[in-house]
């Protein structure tokens, strides 16, 4: 009764109690049609964001190795998640780090950091989906550390039908959702910002479908026993034989993943992958109760690429299939992103991958604005949709609406209503902003004549981020430099006032017309002669941030790095251009090129000076007279002060020093302009050739055959046929081999393949994948051995096979275009050969491939 009167008095006098504040926070429920809705407005909900795993596993340990305060690291990353406009966060909890052998919850640093992270996400209005168990170890990319938890006692594929394991999971999951977060003072089951729970991450069900159904029901019962009323999700994109069992249970939501170009390539993939993300067809969508379950994407990523055009395309396709929760895997903690060690196949961070991060910001807007189940045309007719655009050739994604203009790379697209703009986010230059720096920037209107500008430092990739990871290897370096930024906003005009508001930044002056010389930081931009209506300062709260907040890594470019990929082939008697990205603690005084012909003993050593064209990019033209026969070898020398640094060795010194002993060079093979265009030469067991079986249960093995001195090497391929309809493919990215031979390419008539030997194979399809992602092939009959010559004029448009295989495995592995695009030899990007209907003991021995 006493509580009643206190509450009544508070209501009458408009003093909100804590309970009333919580009541005002909308929660999520799932209606009878499987639609996630807000509890207050009943409107459809839509979420977009990331996974982020700092409280656990390698990220947790790496923060310790690096001596970082983990809570401060979380603060930094959550700020960036907010700047990217995300409203969703998902994590699969490493149960092995917060439980014992009986499933007893352990109150330790991992759980405390998860609690802290949740509280910080709430402050930024980001909702949370918790996957309660991973059921695997905590090691990757290191070795597992056996914590004695129940997961380590059972095989992942047995943990769902072993009675002792199930009992441990029931105990654990009940304790986890009842756990009281000391920072929010709420249990997970009662926190309105936690939208629901997924039972476990990518379950492996080895028992019967009936056992799977029984297991899920036990977990649901354990959750219900705690008083949980939040939606419970289950993964349905694995274990296809058990799919019907999933939908017989009372789970309210289902979860899926999407890795459209596979995982862990070990190197950066290249090409147009838009056909790979055109559709996401679910083959079991006609099952009973399918339409009564909400759909969530727990993980997705176009792995092993640095392009910025894919995230919006994937978000569009997800929305077309009715997904309402979309979370990428995984956002790299800023304090270790320079090495990309957490998950080498993924790489996303605002500071270190600014172009990809801005494309994620654009993708979030797609998730929020594109209606659920909206249909789109087939690629390439769907690259421009609603207010959005994606482009492979420009490596670009764009949001262009009346009040927002976001772009992931340089663009000539003009904002449709410049005078209405209220928010700009970008990388590079546009008709609104001209900028040479390589970091991201944000320009947001606070009121009519006042804007907030946030500029990130420059990120320069210096090594392949998808190779074997190590904390001893830097893949992206950070440089803090001053650049001119020209801002052409009608609402700002010219000679606007610029005042820094982030800590330690003392910049305070007016622009020169529309141009300012700016360093990384946060600034208030005020129209000349304008008196603000509000008091704006570093401490002002605005949306989900405080205006003076600024998070960026320190400059890491302590030494010079030269990023240069020499042309594979150059033509004799023709000049050619060399381009390199050069970054270091300062801009070089000069950059020069020496060939391998220079000598300490000579008084006349020719050199070519490289000129900075923009940002960190330097170029030079090598005259034809300097190019000899065979191989053109050269060094790039960076000169700064009294010191020289020679690359590719990356050492201090100059080839003209008497004691310079390094003999490493960049190399390009020199050929006659009329010679055939070599696409494949067998030099080692890989030779740039990727081999695939479709489906993946069938596969190819290979062996290098080193021939006698009068013959070229070859690769022998054998086939492991597990499926009667198996097809086999060979691919090689060849853009680098043809880009310097344009004239010769236009004269070509044939693609030629040297088959040393073939048994059990009647024919090969031979052809190319082009820059538009379309495939063109022609079938050629095989004799036992010899050179096959296929006329380029015989190539016809074919279906595009999506290689490597996408995940989940139920997705279609072919893209069949409904647009006819004529084959153009100048557009080729990938060599492709394929075969099917082969015998059990078939093999093929492949030699060189060329165009003539």
């Amino acid at each position: 009764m006493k509580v009643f009167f206190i509450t009544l008095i508070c209501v009458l006098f408009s003093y909100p109690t804590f309970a009333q504040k919580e009541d005002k926070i909308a929660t999520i429920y799932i209606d009878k049609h499987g639609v996630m809705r807000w509890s207050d407005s009943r409107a459809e909900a839509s979420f977009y964001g990331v996974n982020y795993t700092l409280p656990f596993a390698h990220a947790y340990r790496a923060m310790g190795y690096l001596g970082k305060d983990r809570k401060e690291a979380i603060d930094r990353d959550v700020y960036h998640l907010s700047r990217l406009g995300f409203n969703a966060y998902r994590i699969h909890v490493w149960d092995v780090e917060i439980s014992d052998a009986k499933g007893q919850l352990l109150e330790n640093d991992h759980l405390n950091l998860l609690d802290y992270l949740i509280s910080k996400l709430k402050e930024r209005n980001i909702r949370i989906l918790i996957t309660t168990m991973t059921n695997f170890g905590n090691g990757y990319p290191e070795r597992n550390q056996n914590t004695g938890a129940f997961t380590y006692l059972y095989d992942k594929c047995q943990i769902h039908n072993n009675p002792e394991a199930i009992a441990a999971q029931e105990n654990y999951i009940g304790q986890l959702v009842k756990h009281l977060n000391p920072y929010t003072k709420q249990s997970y089951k009662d926190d309105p910002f936690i939208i629901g729970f997924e039972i476990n991450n990518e379950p492996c069900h080895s028992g019967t479908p009936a056992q799977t159904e029984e297991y899920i029901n036990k977990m649901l019962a354990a959750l219900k026993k705690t008083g949980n009323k939040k939606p419970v999700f289950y993964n349905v994109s694995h274990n296809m034989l058990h799919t019907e069992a999933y939908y017989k249970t009372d789970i309210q939501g289902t979860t899926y993943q999407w890795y459209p170009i596979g995982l862990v390539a070990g190197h950066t993939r290249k090409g147009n992958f838009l056909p790979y993300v055109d559709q996401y067809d679910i083959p079991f969508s006609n099952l009973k109760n399918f339409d009564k379950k909400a759909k969530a994407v727990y993980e997705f990523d176009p792995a092993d690429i640095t392009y910025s055009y894919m995230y919006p395309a994937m978000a569009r396709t997800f929305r077309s299939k009715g997904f309402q929760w979309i979370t990428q895997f995984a956002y790299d903690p800023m304090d270790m992103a320079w090495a990309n060690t957490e998950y080498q196949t993924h790489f996303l961070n605002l500071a270190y991958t600014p172009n990809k991060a801005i494309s994620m910001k654009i993708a979030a807007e797609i998730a929020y604005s594109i209606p659920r189940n909206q249909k789109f045309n087939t690629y390439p007719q769907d690259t421009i949709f609603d207010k959005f655009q994606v482009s492979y050739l420009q490596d670009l994604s764009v949001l262009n609406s009346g009040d927002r203009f976001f772009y992931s790379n340089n663009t000539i697209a003009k904002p449709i209503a410049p005078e209405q703009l209220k928010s700009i986010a970008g990388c590079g230059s546009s008709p609104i902003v001209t900028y040479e720096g390589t970091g991201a920037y944000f320009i947001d209107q606070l009121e009519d004549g006042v804007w907030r500008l946030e500029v990130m430092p420059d990120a320069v990739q210096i090594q392949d981020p998808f190779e074997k990871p190590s904390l001893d290897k830097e893949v992206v370096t950070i440089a803090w430099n001053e650049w001119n930024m020209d801002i052409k906003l009608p609402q700002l005009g010219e000679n606007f006032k610029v005042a820094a508001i982030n800590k330690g930044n003392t910049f305070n002056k007016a622009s020169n017309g529309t141009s300012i010389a700016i360093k990384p930081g946060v600034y208030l931009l005020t129209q000349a002669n304008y008196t603000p209506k509000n008091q704006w300062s570093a401490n002002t709260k605005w949306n989900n941030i405080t205006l003076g907040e600024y998070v960026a890594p320190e400059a890491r470019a302590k030494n010079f790095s030269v990023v240069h990929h020499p042309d594979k082939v150059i033509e004799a008697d023709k000049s050619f251009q060399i381009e390199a990205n050069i970054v270091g603690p300062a801009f070089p005084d000069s950059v020069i090129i020496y060939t391998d012909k220079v000598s300490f003993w000579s008084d006349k050593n020719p050199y070519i000076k490289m000129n900075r064209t923009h940002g960190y990019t330097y170029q030079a033209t090598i005259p034809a007279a300097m190019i000899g026969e065979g191989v053109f070898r050269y060094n790039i020398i960076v000169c700064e002060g009294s010191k020289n640094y020679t690359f590719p060795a990356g050492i201090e010194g100059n080839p003209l020093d008497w004691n310079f002993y390094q003999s490493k060079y960049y190399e390009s093979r020199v050929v006659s302009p009329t010679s055939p265009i070599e696409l494949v030469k067998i030099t080692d067991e890989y030779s740039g050739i990727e081999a695939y079986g479709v489906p993946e249960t069938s596969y190819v093995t290979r062996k290098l055959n080193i021939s006698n001195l009068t013959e070229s090497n070859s690769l022998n391929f054998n086939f492991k046929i597990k499926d009667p309809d198996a097809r086999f493919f060979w691919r090689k990215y060849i853009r680098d081999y043809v880009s310097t031979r344009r004239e010769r390419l236009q004269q070509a008539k044939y693609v030629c393949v040297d088959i040393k030997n073939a048994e059990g194979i009647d024919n090969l399809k031979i052809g190319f994948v082009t820059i538009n992602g379309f495939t063109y092939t022609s079938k050629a009959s095989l004799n036992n051995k010899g050179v096959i010559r296929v006329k380029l004029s015989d190539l016809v448009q074919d279906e595009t096979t999506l290689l490597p295989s996408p995940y989940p495995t139920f997705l279609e592995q072919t893209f069949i275009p409904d647009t006819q695009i004529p084959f153009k030899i100048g557009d080729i990007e990938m060599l492709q050969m394929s075969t099917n209907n082969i015998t059990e003991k078939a093999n093929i021995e492949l030699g060189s491939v060329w165009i003539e």
Side-chain angles (χ1 to χ4, degrees), residues 675-679 734 738 741 744-745 747-752 768 792 825 828 849-852:
S675 66
I677 301 172
E678 183 180 272
L679 304 180
I734 58 168
V738 301
R741 308 209 59 196
R744 181 66 183 88
L745 198 61
Q747 300 165 3
K749 303 295 183 184
Y750 300 93
V751 55
C752 306
F768 301 97
L792 297 175
I825 187 62
I828 62 174
V849 182
W850 66 94
I851 294 173
E852 65 179 27

Side-chain angles (χ1 to χ4, degrees), residues 97-123:
E97 293 191 319
I98 60 170
S99 67
D100 66 11
K102 298 296 184 180
Q104 194 72 19
L105 191 67
L106 304 179
E107 300 278 349
N108 58 20
D109 195 38
H110 298 289
L111 186 59
N112 184 266
L113 284 170
L114 178 59
D115 289 337
Y116 182 79
L117 172 59
I118 289 170
S119 72
K120 291 301 173 179
L121 292 166
K122 288 184 64 171
E123 290 176 7

